[in-house]
PDB file of all heavy atoms in Angstrom:
ATOM      1  N   SER A 307      14.497  -1.861  -4.693  1.00 95.00           N
ATOM      2  CA  SER A 307      14.835  -0.864  -3.529  1.00 95.00           C
ATOM      3  C   SER A 307      14.139  -1.239  -2.292  1.00 95.00           C
ATOM      4  O   SER A 307      12.929  -1.087  -2.151  1.00 95.00           O
ATOM      5  CB  SER A 307      14.369   0.633  -4.003  1.00 95.00           C
ATOM      6  OG  SER A 307      14.768   1.487  -3.107  1.00 95.00           O
ATOM      7  N   GLY A 308      14.907  -1.822  -1.449  1.00 96.00           N
ATOM      8  CA  GLY A 308      14.345  -2.298  -0.110  1.00 96.00           C
ATOM      9  C   GLY A 308      15.012  -1.645   1.062  1.00 96.00           C
ATOM     10  O   GLY A 308      16.149  -1.339   1.044  1.00 96.00           O
ATOM     11  N   SER A 309      14.194  -1.428   2.206  1.00 96.00           N
ATOM     12  CA  SER A 309      14.718  -0.943   3.418  1.00 96.00           C
ATOM     13  C   SER A 309      15.579  -1.725   4.193  1.00 96.00           C
ATOM     14  O   SER A 309      16.315  -1.216   5.078  1.00 96.00           O
ATOM     15  CB  SER A 309      13.489  -0.355   4.172  1.00 96.00           C
ATOM     16  OG  SER A 309      12.761   0.564   3.406  1.00 96.00           O
ATOM     17  N   THR A 310      15.391  -3.174   4.056  1.00 97.00           N
ATOM     18  CA  THR A 310      16.085  -3.953   4.928  1.00 97.00           C
ATOM     19  C   THR A 310      16.381  -5.271   3.993  1.00 97.00           C
ATOM     20  O   THR A 310      15.943  -5.436   3.033  1.00 97.00           O
ATOM     21  CB  THR A 310      15.136  -4.611   6.034  1.00 97.00           C
ATOM     22  OG1 THR A 310      14.078  -5.144   5.521  1.00 97.00           O
ATOM     23  CG2 THR A 310      14.806  -3.437   7.012  1.00 97.00           C
ATOM     24  N   PRO A 311      17.492  -6.102   4.565  1.00 97.00           N
ATOM     25  CA  PRO A 311      17.668  -7.346   3.766  1.00 97.00           C
ATOM     26  C   PRO A 311      16.478  -8.187   3.527  1.00 97.00           C
ATOM     27  O   PRO A 311      16.260  -8.686   2.476  1.00 97.00           O
ATOM     28  CB  PRO A 311      18.771  -8.059   4.641  1.00 97.00           C
ATOM     29  CG  PRO A 311      19.500  -6.895   5.280  1.00 97.00           C
ATOM     30  CD  PRO A 311      18.375  -5.859   5.655  1.00 97.00           C
ATOM     31  N   GLN A 312      15.657  -8.332   4.556  1.00 97.00           N
ATOM     32  CA  GLN A 312      14.376  -8.965   4.463  1.00 97.00           C
ATOM     33  C   GLN A 312      13.436  -8.468   3.416  1.00 97.00           C
ATOM     34  O   GLN A 312      12.630  -9.153   2.645  1.00 97.00           O
ATOM     35  CB  GLN A 312      13.726  -9.268   5.785  1.00 97.00           C
ATOM     36  CG  GLN A 312      13.239  -8.189   6.505  1.00 97.00           C
ATOM     37  CD  GLN A 312      14.109  -7.618   7.513  1.00 97.00           C
ATOM     38  OE1 GLN A 312      15.398  -7.789   7.297  1.00 97.00           O
ATOM     39  NE2 GLN A 312      13.840  -6.982   8.559  1.00 97.00           N
ATOM     40  N   ASN A 313      13.349  -7.191   3.411  1.00 97.00           N
ATOM     41  CA  ASN A 313      12.592  -6.483   2.392  1.00 97.00           C
ATOM     42  C   ASN A 313      13.054  -6.692   1.032  1.00 97.00           C
ATOM     43  O   ASN A 313      12.049  -6.929   0.044  1.00 97.00           O
ATOM     44  CB  ASN A 313      12.591  -4.977   2.667  1.00 97.00           C
ATOM     45  CG  ASN A 313      11.584  -4.080   1.915  1.00 97.00           C
ATOM     46  OD1 ASN A 313      11.654  -2.909   1.828  1.00 97.00           O
ATOM     47  ND2 ASN A 313      10.601  -4.786   1.287  1.00 97.00           N
ATOM     48  N   VAL A 314      14.346  -6.627   0.783  1.00 98.00           N
ATOM     49  CA  VAL A 314      14.829  -6.928  -0.537  1.00 98.00           C
ATOM     50  C   VAL A 314      14.572  -8.434  -0.988  1.00 98.00           C
ATOM     51  O   VAL A 314      14.221  -8.725  -2.144  1.00 98.00           O
ATOM     52  CB  VAL A 314      16.375  -6.604  -0.663  1.00 98.00           C
ATOM     53  CG1 VAL A 314      16.993  -7.013  -1.991  1.00 98.00           C
ATOM     54  CG2 VAL A 314      16.539  -5.125  -0.407  1.00 98.00           C
ATOM     55  N   ASP A 315      14.743  -9.264   0.084  1.00 98.00           N
ATOM     56  CA  ASP A 315      14.466 -10.749  -0.300  1.00 98.00           C
ATOM     57  C   ASP A 315      13.118 -10.998  -0.778  1.00 98.00           C
ATOM     58  O   ASP A 315      12.857 -11.798  -1.630  1.00 98.00           O
ATOM     59  CB  ASP A 315      14.976 -11.625   0.916  1.00 98.00           C
ATOM     60  CG  ASP A 315      16.405 -11.771   1.169  1.00 98.00           C
ATOM     61  OD1 ASP A 315      17.197 -11.515   0.208  1.00 98.00           O
ATOM     62  OD2 ASP A 315      16.687 -12.181   2.287  1.00 98.00           O
ATOM     63  N   VAL A 316      12.216 -10.423   0.034  1.00 97.00           N
ATOM     64  CA  VAL A 316      10.749 -10.539  -0.272  1.00 97.00           C
ATOM     65  C   VAL A 316      10.455 -10.077  -1.674  1.00 97.00           C
ATOM     66  O   VAL A 316       9.813 -10.723  -2.593  1.00 97.00           O
ATOM     67  CB  VAL A 316       9.833  -9.971   0.691  1.00 97.00           C
ATOM     68  CG1 VAL A 316       8.398  -9.779   0.218  1.00 97.00           C
ATOM     69  CG2 VAL A 316       9.793 -10.644   1.995  1.00 97.00           C
ATOM     70  N   ALA A 317      10.907  -8.859  -2.048  1.00 97.00           N
ATOM     71  CA  ALA A 317      10.740  -8.309  -3.414  1.00 97.00           C
ATOM     72  C   ALA A 317      11.402  -9.207  -4.513  1.00 97.00           C
ATOM     73  O   ALA A 317      10.986  -9.323  -5.462  1.00 97.00           O
ATOM     74  CB  ALA A 317      11.341  -6.844  -3.345  1.00 97.00           C
ATOM     75  N   THR A 318      12.566  -9.695  -4.136  1.00 98.00           N
ATOM     76  CA  THR A 318      13.408 -10.477  -5.122  1.00 98.00           C
ATOM     77  C   THR A 318      12.762 -11.861  -5.321  1.00 98.00           C
ATOM     78  O   THR A 318      12.504 -12.321  -6.433  1.00 98.00           O
ATOM     79  CB  THR A 318      14.795 -10.604  -4.671  1.00 98.00           C
ATOM     80  OG1 THR A 318      15.441  -9.443  -4.613  1.00 98.00           O
ATOM     81  CG2 THR A 318      15.546 -11.510  -5.656  1.00 98.00           C
ATOM     82  N   TYR A 319      12.388 -12.621  -4.163  1.00 98.00           N
ATOM     83  CA  TYR A 319      12.021 -14.043  -4.319  1.00 98.00           C
ATOM     84  C   TYR A 319      10.472 -14.253  -4.252  1.00 98.00           C
ATOM     85  O   TYR A 319      10.124 -15.314  -4.759  1.00 98.00           O
ATOM     86  CB  TYR A 319      12.665 -14.703  -3.142  1.00 98.00           C
ATOM     87  CG  TYR A 319      14.237 -14.970  -3.425  1.00 98.00           C
ATOM     88  CD1 TYR A 319      15.073 -14.234  -2.629  1.00 98.00           C
ATOM     89  CD2 TYR A 319      14.751 -15.765  -4.360  1.00 98.00           C
ATOM     90  CE1 TYR A 319      16.396 -14.281  -2.846  1.00 98.00           C
ATOM     91  CE2 TYR A 319      16.022 -15.963  -4.545  1.00 98.00           C
ATOM     92  CZ  TYR A 319      16.902 -15.122  -3.679  1.00 98.00           C
ATOM     93  OH  TYR A 319      18.334 -15.446  -3.945  1.00 98.00           O
ATOM     94  N   THR A 320       9.688 -13.360  -3.663  1.00 97.00           N
ATOM     95  CA  THR A 320       8.345 -13.458  -3.596  1.00 97.00           C
ATOM     96  C   THR A 320       7.552 -12.798  -4.782  1.00 97.00           C
ATOM     97  O   THR A 320       6.782 -13.412  -5.492  1.00 97.00           O
ATOM     98  CB  THR A 320       7.791 -13.124  -2.259  1.00 97.00           C
ATOM     99  OG1 THR A 320       8.381 -13.900  -1.238  1.00 97.00           O
ATOM    100  CG2 THR A 320       6.283 -13.293  -2.270  1.00 97.00           C
ATOM    101  N   TYR A 321       7.875 -11.441  -4.880  1.00 96.00           N
ATOM    102  CA  TYR A 321       7.022 -10.748  -5.819  1.00 96.00           C
ATOM    103  C   TYR A 321       7.500 -10.497  -7.170  1.00 96.00           C
ATOM    104  O   TYR A 321       6.791 -10.439  -8.050  1.00 96.00           O
ATOM    105  CB  TYR A 321       6.816  -9.240  -5.271  1.00 96.00           C
ATOM    106  CG  TYR A 321       6.169  -9.165  -3.931  1.00 96.00           C
ATOM    107  CD1 TYR A 321       6.667  -8.495  -2.859  1.00 96.00           C
ATOM    108  CD2 TYR A 321       4.881  -9.797  -3.838  1.00 96.00           C
ATOM    109  CE1 TYR A 321       6.122  -8.464  -1.648  1.00 96.00           C
ATOM    110  CE2 TYR A 321       4.250  -9.755  -2.604  1.00 96.00           C
ATOM    111  CZ  TYR A 321       4.741  -9.036  -1.616  1.00 96.00           C
ATOM    112  OH  TYR A 321       4.010  -8.971  -0.313  1.00 96.00           O
ATOM    113  N   ARG A 322       8.754 -10.716  -7.464  1.00 97.00           N
ATOM    114  CA  ARG A 322       9.281 -10.459  -8.811  1.00 97.00           C
ATOM    115  C   ARG A 322      10.294 -11.469  -9.456  1.00 97.00           C
ATOM    116  O   ARG A 322      10.745 -11.263 -10.449  1.00 97.00           O
ATOM    117  CB  ARG A 322      10.120  -9.053  -8.792  1.00 97.00           C
ATOM    118  CG  ARG A 322       9.156  -7.889  -8.287  1.00 97.00           C
ATOM    119  CD  ARG A 322       9.850  -6.553  -8.458  1.00 97.00           C
ATOM    120  NE  ARG A 322       8.848  -5.508  -8.081  1.00 97.00           N
ATOM    121  CZ  ARG A 322       8.645  -5.062  -6.739  1.00 97.00           C
ATOM    122  NH1 ARG A 322       9.490  -5.483  -5.770  1.00 97.00           N
ATOM    123  NH2 ARG A 322       7.807  -4.023  -6.457  1.00 97.00           N
ATOM    124  N   LEU A 323      10.546 -12.634  -8.698  1.00 98.00           N
ATOM    125  CA  LEU A 323      11.301 -13.622  -9.284  1.00 98.00           C
ATOM    126  C   LEU A 323      10.996 -14.035 -10.664  1.00 98.00           C
ATOM    127  O   LEU A 323      11.920 -14.263 -11.548  1.00 98.00           O
ATOM    128  CB  LEU A 323      11.342 -14.756  -8.259  1.00 98.00           C
ATOM    129  CG  LEU A 323      12.361 -15.791  -8.566  1.00 98.00           C
ATOM    130  CD1 LEU A 323      13.884 -15.303  -8.540  1.00 98.00           C
ATOM    131  CD2 LEU A 323      12.265 -17.062  -7.670  1.00 98.00           C
TER     132      LEU A 323
END
Side-chain angles (χ1 to χ4, degrees):
S307 182
S309 300
T310 60
Q312 62 267 27
N313 186 197
V314 175
D315 282 344
V316 168
T318 299
Y319 289 103
T320 298
Y321 294 129
R322 300 182 178 96
L323 182 65

